[in-house]
Amino acid sequence: MLLLGIDLGTSSIKVSVVEAATQMCIASAQYPDKESGIISHNLGWAEQKPEMWWEHVQQAILKVHSIGNYNPADIAAIGIAYQMHGMVVVDREKNVLRDAIIWCDSRAVEIGASAFDAIGHQQCLMHLLNSPGNFTASKLAWVKQFEPQVFDRVDKVMLPGDYIAMKLTGEITTSISALSEGIFYDFLRDSLSDDVMNHYGFNTDLIPSINPVFSKHGELTVEIASKLSLKKGIPVTYKAGDQPNNALSLNVLNPGEVAATAGTSGVIYGVTDQLNYDHKSRINPFAHVNYMPHEKRLGWLLCINGTGIMNRWIKDTLSPEITYSQMNLLANEIPVGSDGLSVLPFGNGAERILNNLQLGAHIHNVDLNKHSNAHIFRATQEGVAFAFRYGLDIMRSNGMHPNVIKAGSANLFLSELFIDAFVNTNQVPVELYHNDGSVGAALGAGIGAGIFSTPNEAFANLRPMKIIEPGNDSAYDAAYLLWKELLNNQLIYKEQEVLCQ
């Protein structure tokens, strides 16, 4: 029996086919080969076409079939992981009404801040565990305010994974986990938030049917099954945001367990059973995949928008002809601290850990007689690791103290330099695993379909491929303190600039 997992990323779609009996991935494919772009009509805006996602999902599924080492008719269930906090709106005929406003779009920051003030800071934090911020509900409010002709035609608002499930099955559903990441959910009442819906003037009919994460979200239609060489009626039995899904794929489900990723954005995600919140909403608790009203499981999410995207920009701008491996070899020749060069990697929209400021990316202390491309390569990866440390210190101040961090061997965690900087800057061991989001989504589908009786059964064969322990390299401490001083100076300047506007 086989399971199909779809991971809808910002850059591409990855799909995997997993054998349920062994939990082993037997085939994977990614589409497109070149990273998908982001549409940015104005500063701080970020959009993608949902129709592009759907075309790429189809192409990725057909591509994995072409490998030819399994029978597509043996696929029994489908799971979907997706980029979080996006917004897709459709009319009654399920037609997309505008491009999706995605996770790193910053246009709704002021709308969310006004809602925070109007509803009341304590009311929001007690019930939503967050400020309305720049999340999906505030993005929909932006559409209502600035594109009323679009809003008037909206029948349903969805997260990106809800849209892909709709295209596969013709049905529109969501979950508590999805609603919480969109800041539509009241945790104290365990219901849709009256505060948010009333403040923004949203009708509850805009919200799709609410199903458990692990449950049937529709069945593959005859037309789509034929087009994708799959059996009709295959159920979609799992949908989750990419970070809760990454945690699931690493078997991070219980209080105190922590996962991390460093793709386009970077995340540390720690599980708790407490309805806690950060008073400044710099880190954000959402309902985890296994959240139940009678058994709370929330994921504290520390997000840094500019991680892998910063690394890619530096490579493509300075040395587009080299590979990431070559880039890492050059960076490794430079000592810890990059000979005083520092990079602030905050150029991908409003950063929550910086109170939703759009700081921009910065390269500091360039010495024209000393520094080379290799220095910038190293300083970029160190800057990302230092941004993680800055955010992790916020998590620690809120009671989250990880003893170990689990991560998949992918993206920046493929770089030994980055791993060394991450582990030694944060002074927390890292366990690396052969896994990815599409495999996690496939195993999630197996849980939702009842093929596995428990999540632990789905991950019974999961073992770390490598464990990296921190050392006592004081050079990282010195480099981090310099980096933090530069960040604080830049924050003071930016805050004064905002006040003067």
Side-chain angles (χ1 to χ4, degrees):
M1 186 181 298
L2 304 179
L3 304 166
L4 176 66
I6 302 167
D7 186 7
L8 166 57
T10 310
S11 301
S12 65
I13 307 296
K14 177 125 182 233
V15 297
S16 289
V17 176
V18 173
E19 187 177 59
T22 61
Q23 300 105 55
M24 297 296 294
C25 178
I26 60 172
S28 288
Q30 187 167 313
Y31 191 92
D33 294 328
K34 184 178 180 181
E35 295 177 356
S36 299
I38 293 174
I39 303 164
S40 185
H41 297 296
N42 290 296
L43 183 66
W45 289 23
E47 301 181 357
Q48 288 184 320
K49 292 185 179 298
E51 299 89 345
M52 177 193 74
W53 298 338
W54 173 231
E55 176 61 26
H56 290 178
V57 165
Q58 295 175 85
Q59 293 299 326
I61 291 172
L62 294 174
K63 186 177 179 180
V64 79
H65 288 345
S66 71
I67 295 171
N69 62 345
Y70 66 90
N71 183 353
D74 292 335
I75 293 173
I78 299 171
I80 302 169
Y82 58 87
Q83 47 173 290
M84 297 174 71
H85 313 305
M87 185 208 70
V88 180
V89 287
V90 296
D91 63 17
R92 290 182 182 276
E93 284 72 46
K94 300 184 175 67
N95 299 309
V96 173
L97 293 171
R98 70 172 326 281
D99 289 347
I101 302 176
I102 67 171
W103 57 277
C104 55
D105 187 285
S106 303
R107 75 187 71 185
V109 168
E110 292 183 4
I111 288 173
S114 295
F116 196 32
D117 291 338
I119 296 170
H121 291 202
Q122 195 62 22
Q123 180 75 4
C124 285
L125 294 174
M126 288 291 292
H127 289 260
L128 308 173
L129 307 184
N130 292 287
S131 159
N134 190 40
F135 298 107
T136 310
S138 298
K139 290 168 181 169
L140 182 61
W142 184 94
V143 173
K144 182 183 178 186
Q145 181 175 343
F146 293 103
E147 298 177 349
Q149 74 284 0
V150 173
F151 184 82
D152 288 344
R153 297 172 58 200
V154 175
D155 180 61
K156 290 291 183 287
V157 59
M158 293 181 282
L159 278 295
D162 300 330
Y163 168 77
I164 296 301
M166 180 198 79
K167 296 298 290 184
L168 290 167
T169 69
E171 297 185 31
I172 305 178
T173 70
T174 192
S175 67
I176 290 175
S177 183
L179 291 174
S180 76
E181 71 173 82
I183 315 298
F184 289 105
Y185 197 72
D186 185 321
F187 283 95
L188 278 191
R189 297 193 176 101
D190 268 314
S191 66
L192 201 61
S193 170
D194 290 337
D195 290 328
V196 170
M197 300 299 285
N198 292 337
H199 174 76
Y200 285 143
F202 296 157
N203 191 301
T204 56
D205 290 344
L206 292 171
I207 304 299
S209 300
I210 304 171
N211 291 359
V213 169
F214 301 107
S215 69
K216 184 184 287 188
H217 295 275
E219 296 180 349
L220 204 61
T221 64
V222 173
E223 177 188 359
I224 297 303
S226 175
K227 192 173 183 180
L228 299 179
S229 300
L230 293 168
K231 290 188 304 183
K232 69 176 182 179
I234 297 174
V236 174
T237 54
Y238 171 80
K239 290 187 300 182
D242 51 11
Q243 300 310 323
N245 177 74
N246 179 64
L248 172 76
S249 69
L250 294 164
N251 200 23
V252 170
L253 294 165
N254 299 310
E257 296 175 340
V258 178
T261 58
T264 301
S265 64
V267 165
I268 295 178
Y269 185 95
V271 179
T272 180
D273 57 2
Q274 302 297 311
L275 296 182
N276 293 334
Y277 51 84
D278 177 59
H279 285 274
K280 296 182 179 180
S281 280
R282 296 165 298 176
I283 55 175
N284 307 101
F286 304 115
H288 195 21
V289 293
N290 56 343
Y291 177 93
M292 299 291 286
H294 64 277
E295 189 173 41
K296 313 292 187 188
R297 292 292 183 271
L298 295 99
W300 276 100
L301 191 148
L302 152 67
C303 181
I304 302 155
N305 290 353
T307 55
I309 192 172
M310 182 73 198
N311 199 49
R312 184 189 75 191
W313 185 88
I314 288 292
K315 185 187 83 68
D316 290 350
T317 302
L318 297 183
S319 298
E321 73 283 358
I322 68 173
T323 66
Y324 284 109
S325 294
Q326 291 169 328
M327 176 184 177
N328 294 337
L329 286 173
L330 289 170
N332 252 326
E333 296 175 2
I334 306 302
V336 173
S338 306
D339 286 328
L341 189 71
S342 290
V343 171
L344 304 179
F346 301 117
N348 193 30
E351 292 283 0
R352 281 176 246 158
I353 61 168
L354 306 181
N355 296 312
N356 277 326
L357 283 175
Q358 293 189 61
L359 191 67
H362 298 261
I363 302 175
H364 287 272
N365 298 333
V366 176
D367 185 324
L368 302 178
N369 298 308
K370 178 189 294 185
H371 294 139
S372 63
N373 282 5
H375 284 88
I376 300 176
F377 296 157
R378 181 175 190 108
T380 297
Q381 293 193 30
E382 288 183 342
V384 172
F386 296 160
F388 271 113
R389 162 69 185 276
Y390 186 87
L392 186 56
D393 283 349
I394 296 172
M395 295 188 81
R396 286 166 169 150
S397 71
N398 281 277
M400 181 68 67
H401 298 278
N403 295 318
V404 65
I405 295 174
K406 297 181 179 181
S409 181
N411 302 310
L412 275 174
F413 279 105
L414 291 170
S415 166
E416 291 185 3
L417 184 155
F418 173 75
I419 294 170
D420 184 68
F422 182 93
V423 168
N424 286 291
T425 299
N426 291 297
Q427 286 295 300
V428 180
V430 166
E431 292 180 358
L432 287 179
Y433 292 81
H434 277 305
N435 84 308
D436 66 27
S438 58
V439 172
L443 292 170
I447 298 167
I451 295 167
F452 304 115
S453 58
T454 65
N456 284 337
E457 183 180 336
F459 297 96
N461 295 325
L462 185 68
R463 299 287 185 277
M465 55 178 282
K466 190 175 184 181
I467 301 173
I468 304 95
E469 297 282 350
N472 296 305
D473 196 337
S474 59
Y476 278 113
D477 284 337
Y480 173 70
L481 290 175
L482 170 63
W483 181 93
K484 186 177 178 181
E485 181 181 1
L486 293 168
L487 172 61
N488 287 337
N489 290 340
Q490 200 65 40
L491 288 173
I492 291 169
Y493 173 80
K494 190 69 176 181
E495 287 164 355
Q496 289 173 343
E497 182 182 61
V498 170
L499 288 173
C500 291
Q501 290 177 350

